[in-house]
Amino acid sequence: MHVDTEPADLGPDNTYVEVAVEVFRLLADATRIRIVLALRDGELSVNSLAEAVERTPAAVSQHLAKLRWGKIVRVRQDGNRMFYRLSDEHATRLVVEAIRQAEHSVEETPRHHT
């Protein structure tokens, strides 16, 4: 079994429950969800992200600052350009599972079951 799926330490008394709540709060924004989805395939500049999520670069920068604070994304500077990437695969997995759950809430037979 993969270490991330080992249930032994995932009881209701887990010491990270409150931190997990903060992660969910951080991801409870449509633009941030879209940013995570846009970064699934690799790093992007702020301008590329802004185009992908249909927001202004200034707005995307503010969201990225929060995602950096939560250690969900990392940044690399190349000259005066900033490139962002996901810190690891966990944020993508959270977002994908949330979208799959949303499909169950809306559709009789979710697309991911067909």
Side-chain angles (χ1 to χ4, degrees):
M1 183 176 281
H2 189 273
V3 69
D4 287 346
T5 58
E6 182 60 43
D9 67 337
L10 295 178
D13 61 341
N14 185 285
T15 57
Y16 293 101
V17 168
E18 279 73 23
V19 178
V21 170
E22 292 303 317
V23 170
F24 282 121
R25 280 190 186 123
L26 188 59
L27 290 173
D29 181 277
T31 299
R32 290 185 210 134
I33 296 281
R34 288 182 172 100
I35 287 170
V36 169
L37 291 171
L39 291 173
R40 285 184 309 167
D41 296 325
E43 70 178 19
L44 292 170
S45 68
V46 174
N47 287 336
S48 295
L49 275 169
E51 186 177 314
V53 302
E54 299 178 341
R55 300 290 184 265
T56 66
V60 168
S61 290
Q62 290 178 359
H63 287 290
L64 287 166
K66 291 177 182 176
L67 292 170
R68 279 183 68 189
W69 174 84
K71 298 184 179 174
I72 291 174
V73 298
R74 293 186 182 181
V75 65
R76 176 181 67 85
Q77 187 169 355
D78 184 11
N80 63 349
R81 294 181 67 192
M82 308 294 272
F83 292 89
Y84 288 85
R85 69 183 185 283
L86 295 172
S87 296
D88 53 50
E89 76 283 357
H90 297 292
T92 299
R93 288 173 37 199
L94 279 170
V95 166
V96 167
E97 289 303 319
I99 289 172
R100 297 298 184 235
Q101 183 61 44
E103 289 175 1
H104 279 274
S105 299
V106 174
E107 300 173 11
E108 182 72 26
T109 304
R111 287 187 298 166
H112 65 273
H113 284 285
T114 57

